[in-house]
Amino acid sequence: PSVKSGQNIISVYPPQSPCPVYSHDEWYAEDWTPPFLEPDFDRPFFEQWKELQSKAPVVGLFSNLQENAEYCQDVEGLQNCYIVFDAINCRDVYYSVRIYNSKSCVDVYWVMDSELLYDCVYMFSCYNCRYSFNCEQASDSAFLFNCRNVQNSFMCSNLRNKSYCFRNQQLSKEDYEKKRAEIKLLDLTQAERLKTEFQTMIQNTKIPPAFLENCEDCTGNYLKNCKNVQRGFECFDLRDCRNVFQCASGKDIEDSFMCNDRVERCFKCVATGIGSYQTLACAFTWKSSNMQYSYLCISCSDSFGCIGLRNKR
């Protein structure tokens, strides 16, 4: 239940959480003032920070600029979404994680600039695809792996600039449509059998040691549009970063996880970004600058050891 109203809420925090938990609307309301502690320089900092944590309210599900998307966490700019995590600027998305600038997708992970996807992973600029993995500019297809600029194809891998391929065999449009009409993906038994075939196909497909696309001086895997990124994984649009996982659109980031969208000079942070600069040891700190050891702060600057602040300096 919410500590403020007593009403039952959905929250990422357990019922016996050591910190007070508010609902989204309660936390964003203007009828309460965040508590504070007078610093005691004779006591360890982290001991005092833990004491502040037990008093400062947190939001059950952290989101911003959302409409009809109350059951989502770590998201901004969502409309008509349900159970979505780590997402920015999406509409009509359900049961998905790490999805950006996309709409009408269900059961997807790490998708960008795409529409009408189901059960897909690592897809960029794709349309109307199902059961596909690691594709870019694919459309009207199913069971694709590591394909680029592929349309109207089924159960294929490692294709480039192809259309009307069936199990990696080039067909005419008429022959492809005839074979494709025999496949009933809404038949659960048939879909499960095809999933097993797809997994076998992936295991037997030759792949490079790492997926590094448009990268320079980089090490790691699943990197896209990066330069001078060392030990980076599942990242894109980064410059001069090291030891990063699921970070994007930033530079000078080190030892950080899930820091996205216009992030610069970020060190040992988690889920900190959306226009943040110079952050150290912060978590869920958005649109902020010159922040240190802070948690759950939005549109703040020049602050140290703070929790649950908005529009403060």
mmCIF file of all heavy atoms in Angstrom, residues 13-14 16-20 50 53-55:
data_model
loop_
_atom_site.group_PDB
_atom_site.id
_atom_site.type_symbol
_atom_site.label_atom_id
_atom_site.label_comp_id
_atom_site.label_asym_id
_atom_site.label_seq_id
_atom_site.Cartn_x
_atom_site.Cartn_y
_atom_site.Cartn_z
ATOM 1 N N TYR A 13 8.934 -1.856 -5.518
ATOM 2 C CA TYR A 13 9.442 -2.035 -4.168
ATOM 3 C C TYR A 13 8.578 -3.058 -3.423
ATOM 4 O O TYR A 13 7.358 -3.083 -3.579
ATOM 5 C CB TYR A 13 9.428 -0.710 -3.411
ATOM 6 C CG TYR A 13 10.270 0.365 -4.047
ATOM 7 C CD1 TYR A 13 9.698 1.267 -4.957
ATOM 8 C CD2 TYR A 13 11.619 0.491 -3.769
ATOM 9 C CE1 TYR A 13 10.461 2.261 -5.548
ATOM 10 C CE2 TYR A 13 12.394 1.482 -4.353
ATOM 11 C CZ TYR A 13 11.805 2.357 -5.244
ATOM 12 O OH TYR A 13 12.564 3.327 -5.835
ATOM 13 N N PRO A 14 9.163 -3.905 -2.590
ATOM 14 C CA PRO A 14 8.386 -4.903 -1.856
ATOM 15 C C PRO A 14 7.527 -4.251 -0.772
ATOM 16 O O PRO A 14 7.790 -3.111 -0.366
ATOM 17 C CB PRO A 14 9.466 -5.811 -1.244
ATOM 18 C CG PRO A 14 10.671 -4.940 -1.124
ATOM 19 C CD PRO A 14 10.616 -4.006 -2.302
ATOM 20 N N GLN A 16 7.431 -4.631 2.384
ATOM 21 C CA GLN A 16 8.209 -4.273 3.569
ATOM 22 C C GLN A 16 9.448 -3.461 3.203
ATOM 23 O O GLN A 16 10.516 -3.640 3.785
ATOM 24 C CB GLN A 16 8.596 -5.547 4.325
ATOM 25 C CG GLN A 16 7.427 -6.426 4.727
ATOM 26 C CD GLN A 16 6.421 -5.703 5.595
ATOM 27 O OE1 GLN A 16 6.792 -4.880 6.440
ATOM 28 N NE2 GLN A 16 5.139 -5.973 5.386
ATOM 29 N N SER A 17 9.306 -2.564 2.247
ATOM 30 C CA SER A 17 10.434 -1.757 1.800
ATOM 31 C C SER A 17 10.919 -0.829 2.917
ATOM 32 O O SER A 17 10.115 -0.299 3.687
ATOM 33 C CB SER A 17 10.027 -0.925 0.582
ATOM 34 O OG SER A 17 11.076 -0.071 0.201
ATOM 35 N N PRO A 18 12.238 -0.603 3.027
ATOM 36 C CA PRO A 18 12.755 0.298 4.073
ATOM 37 C C PRO A 18 12.482 1.770 3.806
ATOM 38 O O PRO A 18 12.751 2.615 4.664
ATOM 39 C CB PRO A 18 14.261 0.011 4.055
ATOM 40 C CG PRO A 18 14.533 -0.463 2.667
ATOM 41 C CD PRO A 18 13.317 -1.228 2.249
ATOM 42 N N CYS A 19 11.940 2.094 2.618
ATOM 43 C CA CYS A 19 11.656 3.488 2.308
ATOM 44 C C CYS A 19 10.164 3.672 2.045
ATOM 45 O O CYS A 19 9.479 2.756 1.604
ATOM 46 C CB CYS A 19 12.460 3.934 1.086
ATOM 47 S SG CYS A 19 12.276 2.859 -0.346
ATOM 48 N N PRO A 20 9.607 4.855 2.319
ATOM 49 C CA PRO A 20 8.188 5.110 2.039
ATOM 50 C C PRO A 20 7.927 5.155 0.537
ATOM 51 O O PRO A 20 8.671 5.796 -0.210
ATOM 52 C CB PRO A 20 7.930 6.471 2.691
ATOM 53 C CG PRO A 20 9.268 7.100 2.819
ATOM 54 C CD PRO A 20 10.257 5.996 2.971
ATOM 55 N N LYS A 50 21.682 6.344 4.254
ATOM 56 C CA LYS A 50 20.715 5.281 4.522
ATOM 57 C C LYS A 50 19.591 5.787 5.416
ATOM 58 O O LYS A 50 18.414 5.423 5.240
ATOM 59 C CB LYS A 50 21.420 4.102 5.187
ATOM 60 C CG LYS A 50 20.506 2.907 5.405
ATOM 61 C CD LYS A 50 21.264 1.736 6.003
ATOM 62 C CE LYS A 50 20.331 0.554 6.209
ATOM 63 N NZ LYS A 50 21.064 -0.610 6.817
ATOM 64 N N GLN A 53 17.318 7.698 3.267
ATOM 65 C CA GLN A 53 16.563 6.769 2.426
ATOM 66 C C GLN A 53 15.339 6.225 3.150
ATOM 67 O O GLN A 53 14.304 5.959 2.535
ATOM 68 C CB GLN A 53 17.469 5.623 1.980
ATOM 69 C CG GLN A 53 16.847 4.698 0.950
ATOM 70 C CD GLN A 53 17.773 3.565 0.576
ATOM 71 O OE1 GLN A 53 18.501 3.051 1.425
ATOM 72 N NE2 GLN A 53 17.772 3.191 -0.692
ATOM 73 N N SER A 54 15.415 6.056 4.435
ATOM 74 C CA SER A 54 14.280 5.543 5.191
ATOM 75 C C SER A 54 13.177 6.582 5.357
ATOM 76 O O SER A 54 12.067 6.240 5.777
ATOM 77 C CB SER A 54 14.752 5.067 6.571
ATOM 78 O OG SER A 54 15.177 6.166 7.361
ATOM 79 N N LYS A 55 13.462 7.842 5.032
ATOM 80 C CA LYS A 55 12.484 8.915 5.204
ATOM 81 C C LYS A 55 11.980 9.497 3.886
ATOM 82 O O LYS A 55 10.840 9.957 3.805
ATOM 83 C CB LYS A 55 13.099 10.049 6.040
ATOM 84 C CG LYS A 55 13.510 9.650 7.443
ATOM 85 C CD LYS A 55 14.105 10.828 8.184
ATOM 86 C CE LYS A 55 14.487 10.448 9.614
ATOM 87 N NZ LYS A 55 15.056 11.607 10.352
#
